[in-house]
Amino acid sequence: MSRYHRQIILPEIGLEGQAKLSKAKVLVIGAGGLGCPVLSYLTGAGVGTIGIIDNDTISETNLHRQVLYQTAQIGNFKAETAVLNLKKLNPEIEFETYTDWLTVENALDVITKYDIIVDASDNFATRYLVNDSCVILNKPFVFAAIQGFEAQVSVFNYKSGPTYRCLFPEPPTDAPDCNTLGVLGVLPSIAGSFQANEVLKIILEIGEVLSGKLLIYNTLQNSFLTLNFVKNAKNTQITKLQSSYNFSCDVPSENISLEELLKLKNQNKNLTIIDLREKNEVNFFDIEDAIQIPLSLLPFQLNKLDKNNSLVLFCATGTRSTKAKVFLKEQGFENVVLLKQE
């Protein structure tokens, strides 16, 4: 009564509503920018069982927005560290952790255990996997996406309502990768709080759930826009998962280090180093003699490159380099390697 007094006295909640929260089981997929506020507020509200699935570890670049973690915890698994910190907030909650990525092999087994699924991931592939799994298992899932200064929030598959595929039938082919998007530090907290709010409304069976509605919030303009979308019957008839989903933003590691590159520069005159970053990006490092060709312009500047030369590609994270390598190989460039991201 003492811990939850301020929400129990709300007539829409009361003791009956608090009992519903204590019996609820919620899975949060991703313990990063969105997951941190979702987990904090669901824990504070007294949601009885909370599952967390995330295979990532805490890095320094996370801390400006993932305020559930501390500097001393850099390098630790997010899922395990989140539970450690959340138990200090509310020791009454039962936590279940999965230090794995959500995959085709484990998605149905994990998701089936929970009443509500929260998608706090940062990539399209996971969202489609979550959607398809929730349709198969008839589970509602609460969605958010963020980029820059804008957030999107919605609830899919709620009481057999519209699904994620009803709004986005197919993943975009030109979406920026998850490693290169910038985001204002407070934005994940705002979007994640909206997600937690939708979860609580679903459990308590109060208010109007964002089913069939996409809420768009812009922090710079302080503007809210709600778009309505309708159910497409074919998107609710999924009976099995696809054979594979592309989950990772990781970069292959079988390439050269900066030290190896510097040695190669001195030995090989037929070497072209290509900086694929955009001109407006902050350059934390530069390599002498590298030519700058942003990935977006690469198809139009192939005439600058000699197919007889060895090409070394680098960018901010390595993801664009991977895409460029595939493209250049298709254009007949045989000697293409990536600079390892140290």
Side-chain angles (χ1 to χ4, degrees):
M1 287 293 293
S2 175
R3 179 179 291 273
Y4 307 115
H5 175 69
R6 291 299 180 91
Q7 64 187 29
I8 287 176
I9 61 175
L10 290 170
E12 294 86 353
I13 299 179
L15 286 172
E16 182 181 351
Q18 193 62 48
K20 290 180 180 178
L21 291 173
S22 69
K23 295 176 183 177
K25 296 183 177 181
V26 178
L27 176 67
V28 180
I29 299 170
L34 293 168
C36 284
V38 172
L39 290 166
S40 297
Y41 282 110
L42 295 186
T43 299
V47 172
T49 303
I50 300 176
I52 309 171
I53 181 166
D54 195 315
N55 186 247
D56 199 9
T57 56
I58 301 165
S59 68
E60 188 174 21
T61 60
N62 298 149
L63 298 180
H64 91 290
R65 63 196 184 281
Q66 299 178 23
V67 294
L68 184 57
Y69 308 121
Q70 302 170 10
T71 300
Q73 296 172 324
I74 289 174
N76 298 342
F77 278 109
K78 290 181 181 179
E80 295 175 346
T81 308
V83 171
L84 180 68
N85 295 342
L86 291 167
K87 281 185 175 179
K88 296 177 183 178
L89 170 63
N90 191 345
E92 299 177 358
I93 306 304
E94 180 179 346
F95 293 99
E96 299 172 345
T97 59
Y98 308 86
T99 52
D100 299 300
W101 295 122
L102 193 74
T103 66
V104 173
E105 290 73 27
N106 66 19
L108 295 177
D109 290 337
V110 173
I111 289 174
T112 194
K113 301 175 184 177
Y114 298 90
D115 306 316
I116 301 170
I117 312 305
V118 180
D119 173 29
S121 65
D122 62 0
N123 63 87
F124 287 101
T126 301
R127 292 168 191 156
Y128 283 98
L129 174 62
V130 173
N131 175 82
D132 295 355
S133 299
C134 287
V135 171
I136 292 169
L137 297 171
N138 194 26
K139 306 281 185 178
F141 89 90
V142 181
F143 156 85
I146 53 176
Q147 179 179 342
F149 301 93
E150 188 171 280
Q152 300 178 356
V153 185
S154 189
V155 177
F156 300 110
N157 207 45
Y158 175 67
K159 294 185 177 180
S160 299
T163 72
Y164 183 72
R165 288 188 184 273
C166 295
L167 183 61
F168 303 111
E170 299 292 339
T173 58
D174 58 350
D177 65 82
C178 60
N179 287 316
T180 58
L181 295 176
V183 62
L184 182 67
V186 299
L187 184 62
S189 180
I190 295 170
S193 296
F194 273 113
Q195 285 183 285
N197 185 53
E198 293 302 305
V199 171
L200 296 178
K201 288 192 298 183
I202 293 171
I203 296 170
L204 295 167
E205 301 177 282
I206 60 175
E208 183 178 345
V209 175
L210 280 171
S211 176
K213 300 183 180 204
L214 180 70
L215 177 67
I216 303 173
Y217 172 60
N218 186 290
T219 59
L220 291 184
Q221 301 170 356
N222 280 322
S223 64
F224 287 89
L225 174 66
T226 302
L227 302 178
N228 297 318
F229 60 97
V230 297
K231 178 177 176 179
N232 184 327
K234 74 174 184 178
N235 293 320
T236 64
Q237 297 172 359
I238 300 170
T239 57
K240 63 179 182 179
L241 298 178
Q242 297 177 12
S243 59
S244 65
Y245 293 76
N246 176 24
F247 292 94
S248 181
C249 290
D250 294 341
V251 179
S253 60
E254 67 277 6
N255 294 292
I256 65 172
S257 66
L258 181 59
E259 182 180 2
E260 292 169 330
L261 173 60
L262 295 177
K263 290 181 180 178
L264 191 61
K265 275 183 63 180
N266 297 328
Q267 300 170 357
N268 187 355
K269 300 302 181 182
N270 297 320
L271 180 70
T272 303
I273 306 170
I274 304 174
D275 180 354
L276 294 160
R277 295 172 295 182
E278 300 288 337
K279 292 183 178 180
N280 62 351
E281 286 188 63
V282 177
N283 292 339
F284 293 105
F285 67 95
D286 287 298
I287 298 177
E288 187 179 0
D289 300 328
I291 61 173
Q292 186 174 41
I293 305 178
L295 178 61
S296 57
L297 299 179
L298 184 61
F300 309 103
Q301 299 193 23
L302 292 178
N303 60 335
K304 292 185 176 182
L305 306 178
D306 188 339
K307 290 186 177 180
N308 295 316
N309 282 6
S310 298
L311 305 183
V312 179
L313 313 178
F314 75 95
C315 59
T317 65
T319 309
R320 283 171 285 181
S321 301
T322 303
K323 295 177 181 178
K325 180 177 180 179
V326 172
F327 171 74
L328 290 169
K329 288 281 191 178
E330 291 174 347
Q331 305 306 311
F333 291 84
E334 294 295 335
N335 302 314
V336 185
V337 297
L338 311 188
L339 180 64
K340 287 182 184 177
Q341 302 299 300
E342 304 291 347

